[in-house]
Amino acid sequence: MKKQNETPRGMTFRLKANLNCSSSLSGTESEIKVFVDACNTDLLKRGAPQGCGANILPQWQVSDENFEMEIDSDRFVRAHDALLRFNKEFSKVIGKHHIGIRGVELEDYKITLEWSDEDWFKNEQLAKLQKLPFVKSITQSKKEGGKMLLELDLDIDESALYKRIPDRLIRLLEDKRDAVRWKGKSEHWELLFESDKKPFHFDKDPTEEMLKRDWLRHAAGRGQYIYGPQITKIFRALEKILLDELCTPLGYNEMIFPKFVAWDVWKRSGHAKGIYPEAYYVCTPKTRDPEYWEDVMDYFKVTNEVPVDMIMGKIENVGGMCYAQCPPFWVFLQGKILPDEILPIMVYDRSGTSHRYESGGLHGIERLDEFHRVEILWMGTKQQVIDHAKLLQEQYRHIFNDILDIEWREAWVTPWFMAQEGKAGLAELKEAGTIDYEAVLPYSGKWLEFQNVSVNGDKYPTGFSVKLQSGEDLWSGCSGVGLERWAAVFLAQKGLDADKWPEKFRSIVGELPEVFRFL
Ligand code: SER
Ligand code: ZN
């Protein structure tokens, strides 16, 4: 998806490169001169507005096997892109003499970015920026209305250019600037719909009450519960309502998505940009040879303590536990072309848990490290995806009004796919974006987000290279229904006693089983 608030800014690039060739270039100078002139008038200007683009400076030189030059450019043909263009054509010129390019050394790369002085990084942040990969130095200059000066590390080789590292560094600085601008401003939140007021039959915290009644117990892990037969039956009833009233009538099919997420998925989904403070990390043993692990086993047998530090040296991180639920689905379609006539496609997954390190925010079954969610996912053309989101909204309203009888509201918020990449701030997207569903908890008076409906644009199909036969953009959307959140909202408003529940819901749940008693 294109960045919406990108404003064109002045940038300059100056790159010194040395092309090391397979044999001496002497004798080819006049041909090279003709080629360099052609570069400066045509090749390095292509695609740029009149008078813009890149230039090879006149002091280029040939010495034995080396061709040395400096490229100067604006933002239209960035110097590193110019170098790649140059190399491709230069290879052809010297190829006629059976000479090839053996290696490209980047000797010096300086970039200046126009930067308004309101956006200066504080000294502390500037010090951190010096440690960025491939950065030799980043400084701020007040000259000429304010500039950010980047000097890249000379270790950067040609492959870094193919990986677009200079562009990513620039983007990162701009993102950090935007983050500073947004700091203090609250996240985007815009009311879209508010239900009628509803009767509340309870004013306590439902988790506390369920603990008292032995409906659930805190598990051994942080933010994790073991759900007893009664609350489990309620979860299954909520799930049944979702399937019967929404998934089945709207033509959904069930799938099973992986619950361990490999890094490659999060690289493509964007989560690799920001998930680190909240991930549950997954590691595998460096080897399954029992001998390699003997010292750990022995340590435990002697001390009855698990030697976590010893284990850390013997394992390897390979990814994390399910966090957003839909990203690993996309590997199913990765690199594929779909015929348009099978669209729209609607699938859901309810095959397992999601995990988030919630830190200080844990609270009852409302905020957990381990939770259960039905993830609803649809894809189609842009129009199909937007239309389907409206159908979902209608079905949800029906469920909340006619079956659960809860008081809730819908708000347009920062899209989850931006928030999870660590981007806060304004939701400037109009067609793609997230609607959060919130319900009031009478015991605290606070509103709890209990599900969302999102149009994700072409983000996922693009990230996982999925295309349509017609060449039209493939779009997708998703909606996460947290079973704990639905239950928390319903029970907080209606209480734990079935005789106060709306008739329809009570008949779907049936009798609550009484299985355990404690002495
Ligand atoms: N994948 C979306 C999210 O994580 C919906 O569940 O919010
Ligand atoms: Zn999703």
Side-chain angles (χ1 to χ4, degrees):
M1 194 161 304
K2 294 194 185 57
K3 214 173 141 203
Q4 298 292 309
N5 60 345
E6 202 164 37
T7 43
R9 295 185 152 253
M11 294 180 190
T12 65
F13 299 81
R14 195 173 182 126
L15 172 62
K16 207 169 179 181
N18 179 11
L19 275 54
N20 187 246
C21 301
S22 56
S23 58
S24 174
L25 294 168
S26 67
T28 64
E29 288 89 345
S30 55
E31 239 173 290
I32 292 178
K33 183 173 181 331
V34 172
F35 172 64
V36 168
D37 289 345
C39 285
N40 281 344
T41 50
D42 176 34
L43 184 69
L44 304 186
K45 313 285 185 217
R46 279 184 208 163
Q50 188 69 31
C52 301
N55 264 310
I56 297 167
L57 299 187
Q59 55 272 34
W60 60 268
Q61 54 175 335
V62 169
S63 61
D64 205 15
E65 296 167 2
N66 293 315
F67 174 81
E68 285 170 35
M69 67 172 163
E70 270 189 76
I71 304 178
D72 201 341
S73 86
D74 53 33
R75 69 188 176 88
F76 295 103
V77 181
R78 298 177 178 191
H80 52 276
D81 291 326
L83 177 66
L84 296 178
R85 274 191 207 179
F86 178 90
N87 288 355
K88 207 168 147 215
E89 296 305 315
F90 187 68
S91 299
K92 292 182 194 161
V93 173
I94 59 174
K96 288 186 217 138
H97 302 274
H98 307 287
I99 305 173
I101 302 175
R102 228 180 7 209
V104 181
E105 285 167 51
L106 306 183
E107 295 190 5
D108 197 15
Y109 199 6
K110 290 196 182 83
I111 302 173
T112 65
L113 310 175
E114 248 171 51
W115 211 264
S116 83
D117 50 5
E118 293 130 45
D119 290 326
W120 290 139
F121 292 121
K122 299 230 161 60
N123 287 343
E124 208 179 271
Q125 173 122 30
L126 200 60
K128 270 199 236 158
L129 295 178
Q130 310 305 319
K131 299 195 188 102
L132 286 174
F134 302 104
V135 163
K136 195 197 242 173
S137 75
I138 296 184
T139 47
Q140 312 180 130
S141 155
K142 303 223 166 184
K143 271 188 232 144
E144 301 163 52
K147 284 196 188 322
M148 196 61 65
L149 311 174
L150 256 85
E151 236 181 293
L152 301 197
D153 202 299
L154 303 181
D155 272 348
I156 157 167
D157 63 17
E158 199 191 0
S159 74
L161 299 188
Y162 285 109
K163 292 187 198 146
R164 315 202 58 79
I165 282 172
D167 304 293
R168 292 227 185 80
L169 273 170
I170 293 170
R171 169 57 67 87
L172 179 66
L173 288 183
E174 289 173 341
D175 283 352
K176 284 185 187 291
R177 174 200 61 203
D178 293 348
V180 173
R181 278 190 198 164
W182 285 336
K183 221 177 183 170
K185 282 192 194 152
S186 55
E187 290 227 338
H188 187 79
W189 191 94
E190 188 187 327
L191 185 65
L192 296 179
F193 174 86
E194 214 167 3
S195 75
D196 294 337
K197 298 268 169 247
K198 294 291 162 72
F200 298 150
H201 304 303
F202 200 58
D203 61 2
K204 297 195 188 70
D205 176 348
T207 304
E208 293 297 321
E209 194 61 23
M210 286 194 281
L211 285 167
K212 268 190 217 149
R213 297 190 189 194
D214 294 314
W215 282 17
L216 44 73
R217 209 172 303 298
H218 203 286
R222 36 167 304 134
Q224 183 192 43
Y225 281 88
I226 310 154
Y227 299 109
Q230 299 93 334
I231 181 67
T232 301
K233 204 163 179 203
I234 293 172
F235 286 155
R236 291 292 174 243
L238 293 170
E239 205 175 49
K240 184 173 165 24
I241 293 168
L242 181 73
L243 303 188
D244 290 353
E245 304 292 330
L246 186 146
C247 296
T248 308
L250 294 185
Y252 275 82
N253 282 292
E254 184 167 7
M255 284 184 69
I256 296 179
F257 302 168
K259 293 295 168 284
F260 154 69
V261 186
W263 280 118
D264 188 54
V265 170
W266 279 338
K267 277 162 81 172
R268 291 174 180 276
S269 70
H271 285 85
K273 291 182 189 159
I275 199 176
Y276 307 97
E278 282 183 27
Y280 263 82
Y281 293 92
V282 172
C283 303
T284 51
K286 282 187 184 159
T287 150
R288 58 169 295 175
D289 172 8
E291 246 175 66
Y292 180 76
W293 289 93
E294 196 173 338
D295 52 351
V296 172
M297 299 174 195
D298 292 345
Y299 186 94
F300 177 77
K301 287 172 192 162
V302 173
T303 64
N304 205 33
E305 297 292 338
V306 177
V308 175
D309 289 345
M310 275 165 82
I311 296 172
M312 290 306 268
K314 291 173 182 283
I315 57 179
E316 192 159 64
N317 170 255
V318 286
M321 293 300 291
C322 168
Y323 178 94
Q325 204 161 340
C326 55
F329 155 81
W330 286 95
V331 177
F332 193 74
L333 303 183
Q334 193 171 321
K336 303 275 187 226
I337 299 170
L338 304 179
D340 297 57
E341 66 263 22
I342 63 171
L343 301 176
I345 293 175
M346 287 83 69
V347 294
Y348 67 92
D349 166 75
R350 52 163 174 164
S351 68
T353 47
S354 294
H355 299 258
R356 295 184 183 185
Y357 184 77
E358 285 289 0
S359 172
L362 289 170
H363 187 267
I365 64 163
E366 291 149 33
R367 190 170 294 280
L368 298 161
D369 274 28
E370 175 178 293
F371 58 98
H372 300 77
R373 173 172 52 184
V374 182
E375 176 82 349
I376 287 176
L377 197 160
W378 68 101
M379 71 199 76
T381 60
K382 176 178 169 180
Q383 200 53 49
Q384 286 172 330
V385 166
I386 292 173
D387 290 347
H388 190 79
K390 300 222 169 75
L391 285 183
L392 286 177
Q393 275 176 271
E394 276 170 35
Q395 290 316 97
Y396 281 130
R397 284 181 194 186
H398 155 65
I399 292 172
F400 303 143
N401 272 334
D402 307 334
I403 301 177
L404 300 182
D405 191 38
I406 53 169
E407 187 172 321
W408 94 97
R409 66 189 182 193
E410 296 167 18
W412 187 244
V413 299
T414 301
W416 69 270
F417 48 88
M418 279 174 63
Q420 294 180 9
E421 284 177 20
K423 293 184 189 154
L426 302 174
E428 282 165 18
L429 313 167
K430 278 293 165 235
E431 288 166 316
T434 292
I435 299 172
D436 267 356
Y437 285 69
E438 303 176 345
V440 68
L441 303 173
Y443 80 89
S444 64
K446 290 197 181 122
W447 289 80
L448 177 70
E449 179 219 321
F450 64 94
Q451 67 162 39
N452 61 30
V453 170
S454 302
V455 170
N456 302 332
D458 64 355
K459 179 185 167 72
Y460 280 86
T462 302
F464 289 82
S465 314
V466 194
K467 294 203 164 68
L468 283 185
Q469 192 177 25
S470 65
E472 209 180 319
D473 280 346
L474 180 65
W475 273 42
S476 76
C478 71
S479 169
V481 174
L483 293 183
E484 283 93 346
R485 292 275 175 104
W486 269 31
V489 161
F490 179 80
L491 297 173
Q493 294 192 5
K494 303 295 177 193
L496 275 66
D497 295 327
D499 53 359
K500 301 261 177 51
W501 294 348
E503 181 49 41
K504 260 201 200 143
F505 182 71
R506 199 167 53 203
S507 70
I508 296 166
V509 180
E511 280 295 303
L512 291 183
E514 290 302 330
V515 179
F516 294 98
R517 276 195 294 131
F518 300 97
L519 299 176

